[in-house]
Amino acid sequence: MGIQDAESQAQSAKIRPIDSKGRSNDDAASSFKNVQVGRDNLSTALPPHDTYEGKHRWDPSAEWTSREERQVVLKTDLWLLSWLCVMFFGLQLDRGNLSNALADKFLDNLNMTGDHLNNGQTIQLLGFLTAEFPVQFLTKRYGFRRVLPIMMFSWGIVSFAQAWITDINGFYITRAFIGVCEGGFIPGTILYATYFYTSKELSVRLAVFWSTLNVARVISALMAAGILKMRGIGGHPGWFWLFLIEGLLTVVLAIISFLYLPASPTNTTGPIFRKPWYTERQEVILINRILRDDPSKGMTALKEPATWADVKNTWSDRSTWGIYFIGLVAYIPASPVQGYLTLTLNRIGFSTFDSNMLTIPSAVLQIITMLALAYSSDFFNERTFHCVFGELWIMPLLVALITLPDGGREWSRFSLITLISGYPYFHPIVSSWLSENTFDVKKRAIAAATYNVIVQVGSLISSQIYRNYDKPYYHQSNKVLVAICALSLVAFFVQRQVLVSMNKKKEEQWNQMTEEERSHYQNDINARSEDGNKRLDFTFAI
């Protein structure tokens, strides 16, 4: 926060004084105590780099009221968060319309089976994975305001091109191109948002992002219910018009995004906004609140390219390995149920219209549960047990789905599927957790891309779990999902214990140091920027 309002904290958190240019005052160093362990106490010891876009607004002595800070955050929510949600809407619209198309005899029209559908999803994910790392390098080289809208424009073009596919080969080709065009968009957008929000605010904002995906599920279901009734117009099936209309809508949103997005928190002007979003005073508040929460954001410019050395450094960080494994397995248990929602409803007797309409309750439920979980995680400043709650939500429902007798009981089956699909999605919390524990912007970009790649590998696995031989109730497949759910719970507890152990070792080494050693250690700015989250005075969030 911007105000040091606790006198005791101010006394214990004083560090070596620095001048306005960030240089240490050696003569006065001995009269100050060391900073407390923890990232939020490091800001004065780590001034921003000269290349940082907000360096001219950095002021270690700046103070502001909580009301002023709320105004800055509200303005950021209204101008930035709202439009990022619109872009996320475009992502889900083109990523999820295939599920809507399945209810309109899409598979029958192309002489495809559920296994062909799985293969197409796998091809899309492989394209997605291929683009993930190149996109992160491109965003760091050319900036978010250019790369993200271009990606959106590209997948919008491919999406409406799907309207003209006539066979399995066309389906596979368009799936591949959509995956390539979408790969890297989500971690790129998350990293972009970190320049405007503190770590404590991030998980709730990310929950809003993913809530937008569920809002898109609701809106796309409503749109699909109407558009699919256009079957026969121009001699085309309903899914033809669905792909065409929703793809063109995404292209329009991409063009607006290119004109709308700001280059950085202190460079918000553009073709649409001739005046800055923030006043000079608000820019000072915005930059300093961000840097006091996470000084690493000032260590590099937004467009500073990442290197392969950064990749090696990121992948060798033991603190993130558990989160990567969590990304691989944690989202699998609910994914097949969600992906096959309309198809399952259609197969157990619901009409095309009803199948699309019945996806809405699960989307609304997930918006509520996800936002509540993210808010609780921020309020209690806890990550592990909140994610565990999401897994524990899914497991008994999957068991109930397995034990439900075949035939009839459509509404009971629908209720279980809806509750599973509407589970508290903890992906925003894990993404924020990873961001908190990296302490380096380039490393954060690479870690986010790595995590998202692994999540997509998990999606690839989940797309192959529901097989044709097991339909329509997928009893054997759901047993596999229960086992993976149990593995996910173990992974969360192991990761938590690893971080607790690493924090404890840091604390033991810290306590063994003399006051003079601590003072020297904390004021070695070069070593601080190089060591990142390996520093003894950096504690991992758990």
Side-chain angles (χ1 to χ4, degrees):
M1 299 294 291
I3 307 172
Q4 299 295 329
D5 52 2
E7 188 65 29
S8 59
Q9 180 181 356
Q11 291 300 319
S12 61
K14 285 181 180 178
I15 70 162
R16 201 176 206 174
I18 59 176
D19 62 20
S20 60
K21 295 182 179 180
R23 296 172 301 201
S24 60
N25 183 346
D26 292 327
D27 296 334
S30 59
S31 63
F32 287 85
K33 293 183 179 180
N34 292 291
V35 211
Q36 293 178 329
V37 174
R39 183 181 63 184
D40 53 348
N41 294 307
L42 303 178
S43 59
T44 320
L46 190 61
H49 194 269
D50 289 338
T51 60
Y52 175 58
E53 290 82 354
K55 176 66 179 290
H56 61 294
R57 300 298 187 206
W58 180 63
D59 182 2
S61 63
E63 295 184 355
W64 53 85
T65 65
S66 57
R67 181 174 179 273
E68 287 180 304
E69 185 168 9
R70 285 196 301 269
Q71 289 176 339
V72 170
V73 175
L74 177 61
K75 183 174 286 189
T76 305
D77 287 341
L78 292 176
W79 291 110
L80 180 72
L81 180 65
S82 61
W83 192 257
L84 291 180
C85 287
V86 170
M87 296 176 71
F88 263 57
F89 171 81
L91 175 71
Q92 180 60 25
L93 199 64
D94 292 336
R95 191 168 60 173
N97 54 17
L98 177 61
S99 178
N100 299 126
L102 294 176
D104 188 49
K105 301 180 180 179
F106 177 78
L107 297 182
D108 294 338
N109 291 160
L110 298 183
N111 296 316
M112 290 168 49
T113 67
D115 290 345
H116 292 128
L117 174 66
N118 290 344
N119 293 337
Q121 300 286 55
T122 300
I123 290 171
Q124 178 182 347
L125 289 170
L126 289 174
F128 198 99
L129 297 176
T130 301
E132 196 76 38
F133 282 104
V135 166
Q136 297 313 304
F137 281 91
L138 287 172
T139 53
K140 286 300 294 175
R141 176 65 179 84
Y142 297 105
F144 302 95
R145 77 185 305 180
R146 294 181 181 178
V147 175
L148 298 179
I150 290 174
M151 293 176 63
M152 193 175 184
F153 182 86
S154 301
W155 83 62
I157 294 291
V158 179
S159 183
F160 82 71
Q162 290 181 109
W164 284 275
I165 60 177
T166 57
D167 54 25
I168 295 173
N169 293 331
F171 173 68
Y172 288 163
I173 291 171
T174 53
R175 285 290 103 189
F177 276 108
I178 284 181
V180 169
C181 294
E182 291 181 347
F185 181 82
I186 292 177
T189 307
I190 293 172
L191 183 62
Y192 184 42
T194 63
Y195 285 94
F196 292 82
Y197 291 106
T198 64
S199 57
K200 286 198 66 176
E201 297 163 345
L202 191 58
S203 61
V204 171
R205 269 69 189 180
L206 294 185
V208 172
F209 289 161
W210 270 280
S211 295
T212 303
L213 301 187
N214 284 285
V215 171
R217 284 173 58 194
V218 174
I219 295 176
S220 64
L222 294 171
M223 291 175 63
I227 294 173
L228 292 179
K229 289 184 176 296
M230 297 173 67
R231 171 175 278 271
I233 296 179
H236 297 294
W239 54 262
F240 170 92
W241 298 107
L242 182 71
F243 289 138
L244 181 66
I245 293 172
E246 293 188 351
L248 288 174
L249 176 58
T250 301
V251 169
V252 172
L253 293 177
I255 294 171
I256 298 173
S257 299
F258 192 83
L259 304 174
Y260 184 98
L261 291 180
S264 71
T266 55
N267 183 9
T268 53
T269 57
I272 293 180
F273 295 96
R274 296 297 180 181
K275 294 183 179 180
W277 291 3
Y278 308 100
T279 65
E280 289 188 11
R281 168 69 175 169
Q282 288 176 329
E283 286 186 359
V284 169
I285 296 171
L286 178 63
I287 293 299
N288 286 280
R289 67 187 292 273
I290 292 297
L291 294 183
R292 292 178 190 182
D293 170 73
D294 186 354
S296 69
K297 293 175 184 176
M299 291 165 58
T300 61
L302 266 71
K303 291 185 180 181
E304 183 172 335
T307 66
W308 286 109
D310 296 317
V311 174
K312 181 180 179 181
N313 182 39
T314 303
W315 288 352
S316 62
D317 185 354
R318 290 191 304 116
S319 69
T320 61
W321 293 352
I323 293 182
Y324 295 153
F325 185 76
I326 286 169
L328 177 67
V329 299
Y331 311 110
I332 292 177
S335 294
V337 179
Q338 291 175 319
Y340 271 67
L341 182 57
T342 53
L343 195 57
T344 301
L345 292 171
N346 200 243
R347 281 173 175 167
I348 63 178
F350 292 101
S351 67
T352 298
F353 179 83
D354 290 341
S355 295
N356 277 291
M357 288 296 96
L358 289 173
T359 64
I360 294 176
S362 64
V364 173
L365 176 62
Q366 189 162 82
I367 291 172
I368 296 171
T369 57
M370 179 167 52
L371 287 173
L373 193 70
Y375 178 81
S376 176
S377 176
D378 274 357
F379 183 82
F380 292 103
N381 194 29
E382 198 282 329
R383 305 290 175 259
T384 307
F385 294 116
H386 283 80
C387 296
V388 165
F389 176 78
E391 292 288 358
L392 290 176
W393 175 296
I394 299 170
M395 182 177 284
L397 296 171
L398 285 172
V399 172
L401 202 57
I402 293 169
T403 56
L404 190 67
D406 296 349
R409 298 177 176 83
E410 285 85 358
W411 288 110
S412 298
R413 205 174 310 278
F414 162 74
S415 299
L416 291 173
I417 292 172
T418 297
L419 288 171
I420 293 171
S421 300
Y423 81 103
Y425 192 44
F426 45 82
H427 187 34
I429 297 177
V430 180
S431 298
S432 177
W433 192 11
L434 181 64
S435 177
E436 283 184 275
N437 285 342
T438 46
F439 197 75
D440 181 290
V441 173
K442 289 188 287 186
K443 184 176 180 180
R444 185 171 294 146
I446 296 165
T450 303
Y451 168 73
N452 209 51
V453 164
I454 294 173
V455 169
Q456 298 311 316
V457 171
S459 296
L460 190 152
I461 295 170
S462 71
S463 71
Q464 296 295 330
I465 290 178
Y466 274 12
R467 306 302 296 176
N468 233 28
Y469 76 86
D470 203 22
K471 70 179 185 182
Y473 301 114
Y474 302 105
H475 289 307
Q476 295 299 321
S477 304
N478 287 332
K479 290 177 183 178
V480 173
L481 296 180
V482 171
I484 295 175
C485 194
L487 177 61
S488 301
L489 291 171
V490 173
F492 275 113
F493 286 117
V494 170
Q495 171 64 4
R496 185 181 191 278
Q497 191 56 43
V498 167
L499 295 180
V500 168
S501 177
M502 294 176 76
N503 283 339
K504 185 176 180 180
K505 288 180 179 178
K506 287 185 177 186
E507 184 178 1
E508 289 174 352
Q509 293 180 50
W510 179 261
N511 291 335
Q512 291 174 2
M513 297 170 67
T514 65
E515 288 293 318
E516 184 179 354
E517 288 174 333
R518 292 176 184 176
S519 178
H520 177 74
Y521 182 86
Q522 290 181 313
N523 290 281
D524 188 344
I525 294 177
N526 292 329
R528 182 181 298 282
S529 61
E530 292 175 2
D531 295 343
N533 63 358
K534 297 177 182 177
R535 301 284 294 179
L536 298 181
D537 48 6
F538 179 92
T539 53
F540 294 107
I542 57 172

